[in-house]
């Protein structure tokens, strides 16, 4: 009988869009749909429970992976620091959920809906295929990032503005410059700005180093704009609804 959870390296590496990969994506899609459907039926206690549960997952997963690497003797400054974009996004989302910060939401929304979604579609898991615990940790963490962003949008009623994209781009470049310094001193490849990830990813189609970094910025901006489109459509529908309302005549 095959185990549903193991700490042993599976015989075969992770395969993109395998049944386990598609199942994880489908579970996230169904959870997101349920969050949207139930958004108006949640009382304050339920909202608090969801926020705290997601925040706990986002914080605990980092403690888990740090402990895992230390216990297995694989911790190193060049790869284990929580500095990849999704690591930082997870921590930002956790803080955002606890204090319901709109400033954090502006950045976390686009990082989550672009970087975390891209990571979910093209995971860099190597030999950590299902049912390894790292497989679970990866999809639970990145799924929680997406759910945190959707929760603040669907339930709390937050929404980014167009200027939020500019803020995110500016913050992303400042952060990338800081990470370049960290990579220099640690010999790491945080944010994949020194080399592409070993697994299949969108970066494979963006040219060689260092040009793929510029391509990645352009694609990131395009994806942020696409993530903003639903809000533009919602605004247009809302205006159309207001315009279609009959004007009541005033009786003298």
């Amino acid at each position: 009988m095959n185990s549903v959870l193991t700490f042993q390296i599976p015989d075969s590496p992770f395969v993109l869009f395998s049944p386990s990969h598609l199942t994880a994506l489908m579970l996230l899609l169904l959870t997101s749909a349920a969050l949207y459907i139930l958004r108006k039926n949640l009382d304050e206690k339920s909202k608090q429970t969801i926020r705290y549960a997601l925040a706990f997952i986002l914080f605990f997963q980092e403690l888990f992976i740090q402990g895992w690497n230390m216990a297995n003797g694989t911790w190193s400054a060049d790869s284990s620091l929580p500095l990849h974009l999704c690591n930082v996004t997870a921590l930002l989302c956790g803080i955002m959920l606890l204090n319901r910060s709109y400033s954090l939401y502006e950045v976390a929304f686009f990082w989550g809906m672009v970087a975390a979604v891209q990571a979910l579609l093209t995971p860099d898991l190597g030999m950590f295929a299902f049912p390894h615990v790292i497989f679970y940790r990866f999809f639970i963490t990145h799924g929680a990032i997406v759910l945190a962003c959707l929760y603040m949008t669907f339930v709390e009623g937050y929404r980014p503005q167009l200027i939020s994209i500019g803020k995110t781009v500016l913050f992303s470049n400042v952060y990338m410059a800081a990470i370049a310094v960290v990579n220099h001193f640690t010999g790491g490849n945080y944010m994949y700005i020194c080399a592409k990830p070993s697994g299949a990813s969108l970066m494979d189609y963006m040219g060689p180093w260092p040009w793929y970094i510029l391509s990645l910025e352009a694609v990131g901006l395009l994806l942020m704009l696409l993530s903003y489109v639903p809000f533009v459509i919602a605004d247009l529908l809302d205006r159309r609804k207001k315009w279609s309302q009959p004007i009541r005549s005033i009786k003298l």
Side-chain angles (χ1 to χ4, degrees), residues 54-149:
L54 286 173
F56 174 81
I57 290 172
L58 292 167
F59 291 137
F60 177 77
Q61 62 82 25
E62 190 58 47
L63 293 176
F64 170 81
I65 196 63
Q66 294 296 327
W68 168 269
N69 285 325
M70 290 178 183
N72 287 275
T74 56
W75 194 97
S76 63
D78 64 354
S79 62
S80 303
L81 296 173
L83 297 177
H84 277 297
L85 198 58
C86 286
N87 292 100
V88 177
T89 305
L91 298 177
L92 287 181
C93 283
I95 299 171
M96 172 189 71
L97 288 165
L98 293 180
N99 62 19
R100 290 187 274 198
S101 168
Y102 179 74
S103 297
L104 290 180
Y105 169 81
E106 286 186 282
V107 175
F109 177 83
F110 289 112
W111 277 6
M113 301 310 293
V114 174
V117 169
Q118 196 274 332
L120 284 164
L121 293 175
T122 58
D124 182 24
L125 283 171
M127 291 301 298
F128 297 117
F130 177 85
H132 197 276
V133 65
I134 298 300
F135 173 94
Y136 283 97
R137 179 259 173 187
F138 178 90
F139 282 101
I140 290 173
T141 300
H142 290 79
I145 291 173
V146 173
L147 291 175
C149 296

Side-chain angles (χ1 to χ4, degrees), residues 212-232:
Y212 75 82
I213 299 175
L214 295 177
S215 300
L216 192 61
E217 290 226 32
V219 172
L221 177 59
L222 176 61
L223 293 176
M224 282 190 279
L225 289 170
L226 288 176
S227 299
Y228 188 70
V229 167
F231 298 100
V232 175

